[in-house]
Amino acid sequence: MRDVDQPLLLVGAQRSGTTALAYAISAGFAERGGCFTVNGKLLYLAARWLRQDDVAARHLRTDEVLHALWRRPAGGVGAEAWAVRAEEALRAAAQRVADGDSTDAHGLVCEVAAQAYGTPLWGDKYNEYLLDLPYLHELYPRARWLFLYRHPVEVSDSMLRWEGDRPWRSTSAAACEEKWAEWNGRWLDFRDHVRPDRRLELSYDDVCHAAGAAGLADFAGISLTGAPLRRRALPTQGPPVTERAAEIWRRICELRERAATTSGAQ
């Protein structure tokens, strides 16, 4: 069983298949007595509301965090019990801060997360973790990272078809690709801070096939039944609309080619 400071964090741009993959991982974690949340977002909220300034003021922003947690509840096996533990941990932390018994924001966040997940084998999927990579790395330098990527044209098509209350959804192919490029580019700029054995980069197509699923299961230390994702019929991949998306996709493909070359040499 891995230590509590080594969570598995699943990241990827929106509409890349991360949610479906996260549910499969959550089931695999549960089989081993672990807890993997789908859109738990606790650490994302902590970066904004559980800061050192808040601790110094003895006023942890627990109300804001709890509102966000319950407004769109996390998914995955055991998510309801996780949310209850998270609330208990946040309320207790706020009391300690108010009493001056906790002065380190980072340490406090790690304590809250440990109590919420309640097991050394834990993790979370949240796309927006791509926006806080340095912060998360500072919290958990030994974390395991799973990065899932998908062709920008497919992501753009899926995003434009996205329904529901999503005010942050881009409404043109160019805007979708620019958002895709920004989020994936952040991973590319960050990845070298993580040891190669603590990161796994997979494409959407990889996870639609048994071989990719096997590599993922080995990395995560869980069992997976079949391919976690199903390949959806979408328009034939064409060139990205924007230059930036084309450049980011080229960089991703180069990483993939280098990884394949290294694997073949071994």
Side-chain angles (χ1 to χ4, degrees), residues 150-169:
R150 191 179 187 185
H151 193 281
V153 173
E154 290 191 359
V155 169
S156 174
D157 181 81
S158 181
M159 188 174 290
L160 291 173
R161 297 171 185 267
W162 214 353
E163 298 178 348
D165 180 19
R166 308 183 192 281
W168 29 259
R169 178 180 65 88

Side-chain angles (χ1 to χ4, degrees), residues 157 161 230-235:
D157 181 81
R161 297 171 185 267
R230 293 183 179 179
R231 194 72 173 86
R232 296 183 179 181
L234 290 171

Side-chain angles (χ1 to χ4, degrees), residues 190-240:
F190 165 76
R191 65 184 298 276
D192 287 339
H193 293 283
V194 181
R195 280 175 19 193
D197 64 317
R198 308 203 70 74
R199 66 176 189 248
L200 180 64
E201 297 155 318
L202 294 173
S203 73
Y204 179 88
D205 288 338
D206 288 334
V207 191
C208 291
H209 296 89
L216 167 59
D218 183 64
F219 178 76
I222 59 175
S223 61
L224 292 173
T225 303
L229 301 182
R230 293 183 179 179
R231 194 72 173 86
R232 296 183 179 181
L234 290 171
T236 303
Q237 293 179 355

Side-chain angles (χ1 to χ4, degrees), residues 16 34 59 77 89 119 122 127 135-136 144 149 161 175 179 182 191 202 223 238 247 254:
S16 297
H59 186 68
V77 181
T119 170
W122 69 280
N127 302 94
Y135 169 81
L136 294 169
R144 294 169 295 147
Y149 60 89
R161 297 171 185 267
K179 187 171 186 178
E182 178 63 32
R191 65 184 298 276
L202 294 173
S223 61
E247 171 62 17
E254 287 180 352

Side-chain angles (χ1 to χ4, degrees), residues 19 29 40-41 65 68 74-75 77 126 131-132 135 151 160 173 180 185 187:
T19 298
F29 267 51
K41 61 181 175 287
V65 176
V77 181
Y126 196 52
L131 310 182
D132 290 314
Y135 169 81
H151 193 281
L160 291 173
W180 175 93
W187 171 259

Side-chain angles (χ1 to χ4, degrees), residues 57-254:
R58 295 195 177 194
H59 186 68
L60 214 58
R61 310 298 289 273
T62 301
D63 288 346
E64 287 86 347
V65 176
L66 289 176
H67 173 76
L69 288 179
W70 287 111
R71 179 176 178 271
R72 291 184 181 270
V77 181
E80 291 184 6
W82 169 86
V84 171
R85 293 194 301 270
E87 177 164 356
E88 292 173 349
L90 284 164
R91 290 184 179 279
Q95 188 64 69
R96 294 201 305 275
V97 168
D99 290 340
D101 295 333
S102 294
T103 59
D104 173 26
H106 279 16
L108 193 68
V109 170
C110 292
E111 289 176 15
V112 168
Q115 293 171 38
Y117 284 94
T119 170
L121 184 64
W122 69 280
D124 186 32
K125 167 265 169 180
Y126 196 52
N127 302 94
E128 283 85 337
Y129 284 153
L130 284 172
L131 310 182
D132 290 314
L133 294 171
Y135 169 81
L136 294 169
H137 186 58
E138 188 173 354
L139 280 181
Y140 298 106
R142 302 174 67 197
R144 294 169 295 147
W145 292 89
L146 175 57
F147 172 64
L148 184 66
Y149 60 89
R150 191 179 187 185
H151 193 281
V153 173
E154 290 191 359
V155 169
S156 174
D157 181 81
S158 181
M159 188 174 290
L160 291 173
R161 297 171 185 267
W162 214 353
E163 298 178 348
D165 180 19
R166 308 183 192 281
W168 29 259
R169 178 180 65 88
S170 303
T171 57
S172 70
C176 289
E177 288 192 7
E178 285 295 290
K179 187 171 186 178
W180 175 93
E182 178 63 32
W183 288 37
N184 283 276
R186 294 198 181 198
W187 171 259
L188 295 178
D189 293 339
F190 165 76
R191 65 184 298 276
D192 287 339
H193 293 283
V194 181
R195 280 175 19 193
D197 64 317
R198 308 203 70 74
R199 66 176 189 248
L200 180 64
E201 297 155 318
L202 294 173
S203 73
Y204 179 88
D205 288 338
D206 288 334
V207 191
C208 291
H209 296 89
L216 167 59
D218 183 64
F219 178 76
I222 59 175
S223 61
L224 292 173
T225 303
L229 301 182
R230 293 183 179 179
R231 194 72 173 86
R232 296 183 179 181
L234 290 171
T236 303
Q237 293 179 355
V241 173
T242 69
E243 291 184 6
R244 190 175 183 208
E247 171 62 17
I248 294 296
W249 183 246
R250 181 191 63 78
R251 290 174 62 188
I252 290 175
C253 290
E254 287 180 352

